[in-house]
Amino acid sequence: MTVLALYNLKGGVGKTAAAINLAYLSAADGLKTLIWDLDPQGSSSFYLNVKTVNKNETKKLFSNEVEIPDVIQGSIFENLWIIPSDISARHLDVLLTELKHSKRKLRSLLNNLKEYDVVILDCPPGISLLHENIFNAVNWVLMPNIPTTLSVNAFETVMEYFKNNELDKSKVKCFFSMVDHRKNLHHEIMQQFYKDKLFLKSYIPYLSDVEKMGINQQPIFEYANSSYAAKCFRDLWSEVKKVCL
Ligand SMILES: Nc1ncnc2c1ncn2[C@@H]1O[C@H](COP(=O)(O)OP(=O)(O)OP(=O)(O)O)[C@@H](O)[C@H]1O
Ligand SMILES: [Mg+2]
């Protein structure tokens, strides 16, 4: 089992778009894949058209009131399962502080998922006890970064956090997302950061076909399989497979 977290301190950088499309490609490669929506916004759950079945399910899962098998749902795609999220996920930080092994709870839940080849966590933005759980539990942190000043600041804050908390920064792999080729700033920042070995070569441009995931409520390959956007996600998945699996 390889666990990948789509994570950034910053919101709205393309974490969920990547989580869904990479999970789809993983499943299409014949790998038994689970996407775990940890975000109270429930965007991954929305894209896969799946809702939680229990009231306050995410909170109950972390407080052992429901078990992992009770919350895993199939998707319409072969080899792709999901643990959907609900608004109760907003309480996870408070809940975790009350637990005995508060920094390792997610890791112990993930131990029940060993039958999956790939588990992809769609993380909420931020840097909190939940995120510390994520950093401790996963094999890889995949961090989309928009090549702008504030996004780069967020990247540097996260790296500083890894250093100060003695976390393994070699498990972080970044990729650029929402790249706008018309903007010089994007080019300059990308050139500067490609020197850093934490950055993957593949990147996702700003493309309306990605935005249309919201209207179509589907991974991009289902409605624009031959688009440039689909090709970019395929390239990203090939590189992630090489580096992480
Ligand atoms: N490459 C892209 N090109 C154009 N639009 C994009 C791209 N990637 C994502 N978007 C759009 O930008 C918005 C934010 O994307 P997404 O939900 O994937 O980000 P996120 O990092 O998961 O956000 P949050 O922090 O709120 O969870 C969405 O409306 C999405 O459709
Ligand atoms: Mg998201």
Side-chain angles (χ1 to χ4, degrees), residues 15-16 39 43 122:
K15 298 181 292 294
T16 300
D39 189 336
S43 310
D122 183 14

Side-chain angles (χ1 to χ4, degrees), residues 47-223:
Y47 283 141
L48 292 183
N49 217 342
V50 174
K51 285 198 169 83
T52 51
V53 287
N54 301 288
K55 196 164 184 267
N56 295 327
E57 187 170 278
T58 310
K59 185 167 176 266
K60 283 183 180 156
L61 179 58
F62 278 78
S63 54
N64 297 334
E65 290 168 69
V66 294
E67 305 278 329
I68 286 269
D70 305 330
V71 299
I72 296 177
Q73 295 191 45
S75 73
I76 60 165
F77 306 113
E78 204 180 336
N79 294 324
L80 184 59
W81 285 262
I82 178 166
I83 299 180
S85 170
D86 58 24
I87 192 75
S88 71
R90 77 192 189 283
H91 295 307
L92 285 183
D93 276 314
V94 179
L95 192 86
L96 286 166
T97 50
E98 290 161 1
L99 300 179
K100 221 175 176 184
H101 300 289
S102 64
K103 293 183 181 176
R104 312 248 160 220
K105 179 65 186 172
L106 182 65
R107 182 185 279 189
S108 76
L109 288 172
L110 279 163
N111 278 336
N112 299 303
L113 295 170
K114 289 201 170 128
E115 69 189 90
Y116 291 90
D117 299 311
V118 176
V119 176
I120 294 184
L121 308 181
D122 183 14
C123 306
I127 195 152
S128 65
L129 186 53
L130 172 63
H131 298 94
E132 218 170 325
N133 265 263
I134 291 165
F135 302 148
N136 281 326
V138 304
N139 301 100
W140 297 96
V141 177
L142 295 180
M143 187 155 44
N145 280 275
I146 306 172
T148 59
T149 313
L150 290 184
S151 194
V152 165
N153 284 353
F155 162 73
E156 282 167 351
T157 306
V158 173
M159 293 328 319
E160 182 100 2
Y161 181 87
F162 265 67
K163 194 174 155 209
N164 294 341
N165 291 277
E166 288 168 15
L167 291 159
D168 177 10
K169 79 170 196 173
S170 70
K171 67 161 77 168
V172 178
K173 289 289 165 202
C174 300
F175 62 93
F176 286 110
S177 88
M178 300 193 190
V179 174
D180 187 339
H181 286 296
R182 295 165 305 177
K183 293 183 177 162
N184 282 339
L185 179 70
H186 282 210
H187 281 288
E188 282 162 22
I189 291 180
M190 286 173 79
Q191 290 322 312
Q192 184 189 332
F193 276 85
Y194 273 144
K195 291 181 195 127
D196 191 323
K197 60 181 183 308
L198 299 182
F199 277 73
L200 299 172
K201 298 245 160 14
S202 315
Y203 66 90
I204 307 297
Y206 192 94
L207 293 164
S208 62
D209 277 332
V210 183
E211 242 174 338
K212 285 182 192 153
M213 285 175 70
I215 301 164
N216 293 303
Q217 217 180 331
Q218 281 176 326
I220 198 159
F221 314 96
E222 287 293 305
Y223 61 88

